[in-house]
Amino acid sequence: MASTGITPPTEAELRDLVSRLTTHHKGYYTEKWAAAQEDVLVFFSPAWATPLENAYLWLTGWKPSTAFGLVANLRKSGMALGSLSEEQVKRIEQLRMKIKYEEEKVDGEMERQQVALADRRLVELARLASRTTRINEHGGGVGGDGPTQVSGMVDVAVRSMAVGLERVMKAADCVRLKTLKGLLDLMSPSQCVEFLAAISMLQIRLRQCGQIRRRMMAQNIEIQPKLGM
């Protein structure tokens, strides 16, 4: 670096950079959780993400196990993470196993939420709401407060489901934060910067690929009618 006139960052500067980046991550989740109280469903299929990004989502975000695969690949690069000590590698593997267990717990909770959809009360409620709608559409009408009561019951049921999904989302986010903190605690400042840069670039590249594919699909849709002519 001396020949290029670029002064390498000091360890203190690297630590400050890592601190600012981790603060940014924590701030993101704080804002996300606040927004989820209004509508958690938008985070399970975000309109701002491309279909490709949505396909790789794990419960509203990146899957923690991905970080360990990234570290393993970066070790082969010969850069900062290529100098991980045997002790660091051992402790990262221990963390990986712990995080895998945490992922499985969250997956289990999500499965319980999905199975709960078959709950007899929800099925009966959906049937009743559908029946009430059909009667109204055919002009039969439902006397009293029937429609209002059904609507209220449906709203309560949906809110209950949203609460369960919000709980799953927060649990998944906590595993993401544990993964991030756990890995950074085991790395030197330069290794932390390399890892954070790599995981950010991975997300950026995935988005770019998704945008390229979306443009190509849009072009194909425009071309097909012309070919048909």
Side-chain angles (χ1 to χ4, degrees):
M1 283 195 180
S3 60
T4 63
I6 300 175
T7 303
T10 64
E11 185 167 312
E13 289 173 331
L14 290 174
R15 289 186 185 280
D16 178 65
L17 177 58
V18 171
S19 176
R20 285 188 280 121
L21 287 171
T22 52
T23 298
H24 173 75
H25 277 277
K26 292 175 183 177
Y28 165 75
Y29 288 111
T30 299
E31 294 294 330
K32 178 182 179 183
W33 293 355
Q37 292 179 355
E38 297 296 326
D39 185 6
V40 68
L41 299 180
V42 298
F43 292 100
F44 280 86
S45 184
W48 57 85
T50 64
L52 181 63
E53 289 173 285
N54 284 334
Y56 279 92
L57 283 182
W58 178 74
L59 303 176
T60 78
W62 53 276
K63 189 163 187 175
S65 293
T66 305
F68 296 94
L70 186 60
V71 170
N73 284 326
L74 289 172
R75 283 186 63 202
K76 303 171 185 177
S77 68
M79 298 176 70
L81 283 168
S83 62
L84 285 172
S85 67
E86 290 185 9
E87 179 62 22
Q88 282 178 302
V89 173
K90 178 181 176 181
R91 294 179 66 183
I92 287 174
E93 177 59 20
Q94 291 172 343
L95 177 64
R96 186 188 70 80
M97 296 301 294
K98 179 181 177 181
I99 293 300
K100 181 181 179 182
Y101 172 71
E102 295 284 342
E103 284 180 341
E104 290 173 350
K105 283 175 58 179
V106 179
D107 280 331
E109 178 58 31
M110 185 61 190
E111 183 178 355
R112 282 189 287 275
Q113 293 294 323
Q114 292 169 330
V115 171
L117 281 176
D119 184 276
R120 183 175 179 181
R121 289 168 298 178
L122 288 176
V123 173
E124 285 297 313
L125 186 56
R127 184 187 63 78
L128 181 60
S130 178
R131 180 173 177 272
T132 301
T133 300
R134 288 200 305 273
I135 291 174
N136 288 336
E137 287 176 348
H138 288 82
V142 179
D145 296 327
T148 302
Q149 290 177 347
V150 171
S151 178
M153 292 166 65
V154 170
D155 184 60
V156 170
V158 172
R159 286 179 181 274
S160 177
M161 293 163 63
V163 168
L165 290 173
E166 184 179 350
R167 184 168 60 249
V168 170
M169 182 196 77
K170 288 183 176 180
D173 286 343
C174 284
V175 180
R176 282 185 268 272
L177 287 169
K178 284 181 183 178
T179 302
L180 198 60
K181 183 179 185 304
L183 284 171
L184 295 179
D185 284 347
L186 296 175
M187 297 176 181
S188 69
S190 60
Q191 291 169 342
C192 288
V193 170
E194 183 179 315
F195 169 71
L196 289 170
I199 200 167
S200 295
M201 285 306 301
L202 179 63
Q203 293 172 328
I204 290 171
R205 295 304 184 198
L206 180 62
R207 181 164 183 77
Q208 290 175 334
C209 288
Q211 290 173 330
I212 291 171
R213 183 181 184 279
R214 184 156 58 185
R215 285 196 296 270
M216 292 175 63
M217 293 295 291
Q219 290 172 355
N220 288 338
I221 292 174
E222 292 176 358
I223 291 172
Q224 285 175 3
K226 294 179 182 178
L227 292 176
M229 294 174 63

